[in-house]
Amino acid sequence: MAYPATRIASRPSSRRHPLVATAMVLPLAALLVVVFGGWDAVVTQASSVGVMLGR
């Protein structure tokens, strides 16, 4: 017996505006940078990429 396809998730398929998504993510990202000292890692990686692209 065949069963009709059912949706697993019943939430609407509308997309969130990019600015809303950014506003939701930035506080968590800032907290992680402060807690784990991520700013130094970002600067180090950016510097390494800059050196690699400069060659």
Side-chain angles (χ1 to χ4, degrees):
M1 178 175 212
Y3 293 101
T6 58
R7 295 190 78 183
I8 295 173
S10 62
R11 65 182 184 182
S13 62
S14 64
R15 295 183 55 172
R16 185 175 288 125
H17 193 277
L19 289 178
V20 174
T22 303
M24 292 171 63
V25 170
L26 280 179
L28 178 61
L31 176 68
L32 291 175
V33 165
V34 170
V35 169
F36 294 109
W39 185 248
D40 293 332
V42 170
V43 170
T44 302
Q45 290 296 324
S47 173
S48 298
V49 169
V51 169
M52 216 169 47
L53 292 176
R55 290 186 178 185

